[in-house]
Amino acid sequence: MNALLMLLPALGWGIMPPVVAKIGGKPANQIFGTAVGTLIASIGVFITIRPQITWQSFVLAALAGAFWIVGQTGQYTGYKNVGVSQTMPVSTGLQLVGTSLIGVFIFGEWASSTEKIFGAIGVLLLIIGIWLTSVSDEVNAQVDNKVRVRTMIMLILTSAGYWVYNSIPKGLSTSGLAIFLPESVGMVIAVCLYLIFSHQLKTFKEPISWINIIGGLIFSFAAITYILSVGANGVNSAFVVSQVSVVLSTLLGIIWLREHKSRRELTYTMLGLVLIVAGAVVTTIF
């Protein structure tokens, strides 16, 4: 049962990107639907377990959720510009690199020399893996090279949202399912502000926005089962297995969404995925 629980987050996070991309719509539609779907699921969780949380933790968790919107909007924009199979390895790798470095410099992780050495090796593997998955053949490219470069820069910048989202809970007295509702409240507030200030108010009325609630429900399934897996299997095991999601989402992007890659691009992508997962393992276990 515990082994199955470890696999469920990877399944959820792995199928979410291609499902959202398949549903379609603009990134604004996708991020709105995802935030609303997450809020619906979190209300259900809150009613079920009735967790205790202080107002300070609620506000900080909501802030974390707001920053998640930054990262996820960047990811959805990446799907549109260069496809799921190229966005996901790069986005996942950037999340792991940034979160690891924040853990070291702000939270004092990797305290021993051995941890620092293996941590540095893990980050190096992640960086090489990111580079390999971003390699493209200009002759076979379906995406203009300038668009690709702009998208990679955008993913680097918006990944900062994920870094903050992953870091804030480390400083809270309560975590796990207790902060799921406030995080989703922060997500919805942030996405509403984004749509207002970007003058995309039509998004609220468009049917495709509400269909994208499916993405939020899938995300919630993955997040909830991950929290349960941490309790049952420990942080290291749960986290490492969850990283298989990037392999699943990339393969589904290529096979299900029919995102074209040349033989050389496919070889580099597979090798990059191996290095990204390996980097995740090394930075977590050691």
Side-chain angles (χ1 to χ4, degrees):
M1 182 63 182
N2 286 356
L4 175 62
L5 194 57
M6 277 199 296
L7 293 173
L8 292 179
L11 177 63
W13 281 321
I15 67 173
M16 177 191 164
V19 166
V20 170
K22 192 71 172 179
I23 291 172
K26 302 186 296 292
N29 302 119
Q30 295 168 332
I31 195 63
F32 174 78
T34 302
V36 173
T38 304
L39 178 62
I40 292 171
S42 68
I43 290 173
V45 170
F46 184 84
I47 292 173
T48 302
I49 67 174
R50 298 294 178 94
Q52 299 295 317
I53 185 170
T54 65
W55 276 108
Q56 292 90 336
S57 293
F58 190 100
V59 171
L60 287 173
L63 183 63
F67 274 98
W68 182 86
I69 291 296
V70 175
Q72 197 64 27
T73 301
Q75 199 175 95
Y76 286 163
T77 304
Y79 299 170
K80 178 183 177 182
N81 291 348
V82 299
V84 171
S85 60
Q86 185 157 109
T87 298
M88 285 309 300
V90 173
S91 178
T92 301
L94 289 170
Q95 289 178 58
L96 293 169
V97 170
T99 302
S100 297
L101 294 178
I102 288 174
V104 173
F105 293 112
I106 296 181
F107 294 102
E109 298 174 359
W110 301 355
S112 69
S113 298
T114 301
E115 289 173 330
K116 286 184 172 65
I117 291 171
F118 279 103
I121 292 172
V123 169
L124 181 61
L125 290 174
L126 289 168
I127 292 172
I128 296 173
I130 293 169
W131 174 74
L132 287 173
T133 60
S134 67
V135 170
S136 64
D137 293 332
E138 291 188 16
V139 175
N140 296 311
Q142 294 178 322
V143 180
D144 182 85
N145 195 51
K146 291 182 180 179
V147 174
R148 193 185 306 277
V149 171
R150 286 200 301 267
T151 301
M152 294 301 114
I153 294 172
M154 179 272 299
L155 286 174
I156 293 172
L157 296 176
T158 56
S159 288
Y162 285 130
W163 302 342
V164 177
Y165 166 74
N166 289 321
S167 300
I168 286 179
K170 294 181 180 181
L172 301 181
S173 57
T174 52
S175 59
L177 292 176
I179 65 171
F180 192 37
L181 176 62
E183 282 183 342
S184 65
V185 170
M187 291 176 187
V188 171
I189 293 173
V191 79
C192 287
L193 291 174
Y194 164 65
L195 295 177
I196 291 170
F197 286 105
S198 61
H199 306 290
Q200 300 185 76
L201 296 180
K202 289 183 179 179
T203 301
F204 295 110
K205 299 179 181 180
E206 293 171 338
I208 195 68
S209 298
W210 300 95
I211 297 174
N212 271 293
I213 284 176
I214 295 171
L217 296 177
I218 296 174
F219 169 80
S220 299
F221 168 80
I224 292 168
T225 53
Y226 176 73
I227 292 169
L228 296 176
S229 180
V230 167
N233 302 296
V235 175
N236 287 352
S237 297
F239 179 78
V240 168
V241 175
S242 73
Q243 297 311 300
V244 176
S245 62
V246 68
V247 179
L248 179 59
S249 62
T250 302
L251 292 178
L252 286 174
I254 296 170
I255 298 169
W256 185 34
L257 300 180
R258 300 181 183 277
E259 296 175 354
H260 174 75
K261 283 187 180 293
S262 67
R263 181 174 296 181
R264 175 174 174 269
E265 289 172 332
L266 187 59
T267 300
Y268 274 65
T269 296
M270 293 300 106
L271 181 57
L273 287 172
V274 170
L275 292 181
I276 288 172
V277 173
V281 172
V282 172
T283 55
T284 303
I285 292 180
F286 296 99

